[in-house]
Amino acid sequence: MKSGSKIIVLVLLLSFTACTSHFRMTTRVHRDGTVERSVYAFADSAFRAGDRSTTPFLFLLDANWQVTCLDSFELFDSFGEKQKVNVKVSRSLKGAEDMLFFTPKEEWMRSLVAPQEKLEKHFRWFYTYYTYSCSFGEITEKGPVSMDKYLTKQEQRLLFQGDLNGCVDMNGIELSEKLNQLTTQFQQWLYQTQFELAYGVVEQFLDALPDTVRLSQIRRDKMTVFAHDKTLKDKPDCSPEYICKLLDEQYGGDFFTEMYKARGEAMDKEFEKRGRIVELFANQIKFELAMPGKLIAANTQLTEDNQLIWKVDGYRLLPGEYVLKAESRTANVWTFWLTGVLLLFIGYVLIKKRK
């Protein structure tokens, strides 16, 4: 296992409920093709006082962003939960330009932080059509264990993106049983992923010792140790300390436990470093979109104050890209008037000819 690999290591279904950072992102598409973007967050007093090193946002704030500190704080409804925000950053871009609003603070954040956005504006005689899309990229570095080993692509889309294709004939009970089954399979993938990560940390620190025989032994017996793990189905997570315990049970003695006692802090830091992408799952975005004119189509049914709503978080990026789409149209009033005048003129000419 590469020491620098980034692996999702968390109890995704149980963690981050209390420590999630909530963002409100508003996007307004104007008739002239300008796209206006605002992002709201809750910042500490240092940021509100002008210290940008403590930014609560996941992207860099350059000179193009206008920062506004709210008088105190505002509450917004984040899918059933009231969340506080006290700062807002805003900027506008022309839809015809490359719509690159965000530069992520770290490259590994890109999937969630820097979506690919596109606005198409098409003039037709009576109407002008606007098509907006925002694509959040798939989290590709999921670790050494392929999720496909436990869940098919369709099952992943059902579990994380709510894609019900293939489930149209199921009733509520059947769908509930299916989701419980998929959740169990996902937890099995998650545990093996954590096991591989923690095992790799132990290998790395053992490799620094002059003990090539023991290193070769644990590399050879890794899957045997995994299979003999009696808490495989019950334990929600794994760690280097737990791997050391398993190895001592496998070979006898207390060599690995003592190694952890001596280097445990450094091992835990390495474990956390490899799984830093977990931070993406501690962030949730309420994405609000206002389109000009009459809405024609969208791939969400959530609306609020005449705006379309999507929920965006790291979970939805596990099976593939997560795309937000909407289309609207505005009436070209002048073309209706012009068409009416032309028709009257043509009618007048035809009448004149008949006379």
Side-chain angles (χ1 to χ4, degrees):
M1 179 187 299
K2 296 182 180 180
S3 61
S5 61
K6 305 179 186 74
I7 304 175
I8 300 171
V9 187
L10 72 162
V11 186
L12 289 176
L13 303 177
L14 303 175
S15 302
F16 298 116
T17 301
C19 59
T20 299
S21 296
H22 295 263
F23 301 95
R24 180 188 175 201
M25 184 182 298
T26 64
T27 304
R28 181 171 294 277
V29 178
H30 295 276
R31 292 174 67 106
D32 64 356
T34 301
V35 180
E36 182 182 346
R37 167 69 45 77
S38 294
V39 186
Y40 297 77
F42 191 83
D44 60 21
S45 58
F47 181 86
R48 287 170 58 83
D51 182 1
R52 298 299 178 250
S53 65
T54 63
T55 173
F57 300 99
L58 302 179
F59 51 89
L60 300 177
L61 294 177
D62 56 27
N64 295 312
W65 288 98
Q66 179 182 351
V67 181
T68 304
C69 292
L70 307 181
D71 290 339
S72 54
F73 66 84
E74 296 179 359
L75 292 175
F76 77 98
D77 181 9
S78 181
F79 305 98
E81 299 180 17
K82 294 296 183 181
Q83 301 296 333
K84 293 181 179 180
V85 291
N86 60 5
V87 292
K88 177 181 75 170
V89 294
S90 306
R91 66 179 299 189
S92 297
L93 289 174
K94 276 290 188 180
E97 303 171 358
D98 290 333
M99 290 174 58
L100 300 176
F101 278 99
F102 305 111
T103 300
K105 289 194 295 188
E106 300 286 348
E107 184 60 29
W108 54 269
M109 297 179 173
R110 181 168 296 277
S111 295
L112 182 64
V113 177
Q116 295 183 355
E117 300 181 73
K118 185 177 181 181
L119 176 66
E120 295 181 352
K121 179 182 177 182
H122 298 289
F123 174 80
R124 300 294 182 264
W125 183 247
F126 289 112
Y127 297 97
T128 297
Y129 290 84
Y130 301 82
T131 303
Y132 171 82
S133 65
C134 180
S135 176
F136 291 84
E138 176 184 1
I139 295 175
T140 56
E141 296 180 272
K142 304 182 184 75
V145 182
S146 172
M147 191 181 291
D148 296 347
K149 177 180 177 182
Y150 290 90
L151 297 163
T152 67
K153 289 295 186 184
Q154 177 57 43
E155 289 173 337
Q156 293 174 39
R157 289 191 292 269
L158 169 62
L159 188 60
F160 299 114
Q161 295 182 344
D163 184 350
L164 293 174
N165 288 331
C167 301
V168 292
D169 294 326
M170 291 186 179
N171 61 28
I173 295 175
E174 293 166 340
L175 183 57
S176 176
E177 291 175 350
K178 178 68 173 179
L179 291 173
N180 287 336
Q181 174 192 339
L182 299 185
T183 299
T184 298
Q185 293 168 212
F186 168 68
Q187 289 172 323
Q188 292 171 350
W189 167 81
L190 175 63
Y191 185 77
Q192 185 175 356
T193 300
Q194 294 183 85
F195 177 93
E196 293 274 359
L197 170 62
Y199 207 95
V201 171
V202 175
E203 287 182 8
Q204 176 182 331
F205 280 78
L206 184 59
D207 191 30
L209 302 176
D211 194 340
T212 56
V213 173
R214 191 175 266 113
L215 178 63
S216 176
Q217 187 178 37
I218 71 166
R219 285 176 173 170
R220 181 196 66 207
D221 296 338
K222 179 170 67 175
M223 295 315 297
T224 300
V225 175
F226 179 73
H228 290 171
D229 183 0
K230 294 182 176 59
T231 62
L232 188 61
K233 295 182 179 180
D234 301 323
K235 190 175 177 64
D237 58 359
C238 196
S239 66
E241 181 180 15
Y242 184 68
I243 293 297
C244 289
K245 175 186 174 183
L246 290 179
L247 290 171
D248 280 341
E249 291 176 356
Q250 177 74 18
Y251 302 118
D254 59 359
F255 174 85
F256 292 96
T257 301
E258 291 300 317
M259 183 179 78
Y260 181 79
K261 288 180 179 179
R263 304 295 307 280
E265 184 176 350
M267 294 172 76
D268 289 341
K269 285 184 178 179
E270 176 62 23
F271 183 70
E272 182 179 348
K273 175 184 174 182
R274 295 187 182 196
R276 64 183 181 179
I277 204 169
V278 68
E279 295 179 26
L280 292 182
F281 296 88
N283 298 279
Q284 179 178 295
I285 301 169
K286 182 181 182 182
F287 193 104
E288 305 175 15
L289 174 65
M291 296 287 288
K294 180 181 179 180
L295 183 68
I296 298 175
N299 63 348
T300 180
Q301 295 183 358
L302 298 178
T303 59
E304 184 178 304
D305 297 329
N306 296 319
Q307 296 188 103
L308 297 166
I309 306 293
W310 288 267
K311 183 178 183 179
V312 181
D313 54 30
Y315 304 109
R316 286 166 169 78
L317 309 184
L318 283 172
E321 66 175 355
Y322 186 57
V323 183
L324 322 181
K325 293 181 179 179
E327 184 178 1
S328 68
R329 72 181 187 190
T330 59
N332 302 322
V333 178
W334 64 272
T335 63
F336 283 93
W337 282 101
L338 181 57
T339 301
V341 171
L342 289 174
L343 290 175
L344 289 174
F345 178 75
I346 293 172
Y348 173 77
V349 171
L350 291 176
I351 293 173
K352 289 288 287 182
K353 284 184 176 181
R354 288 179 180 178
K355 290 182 177 181

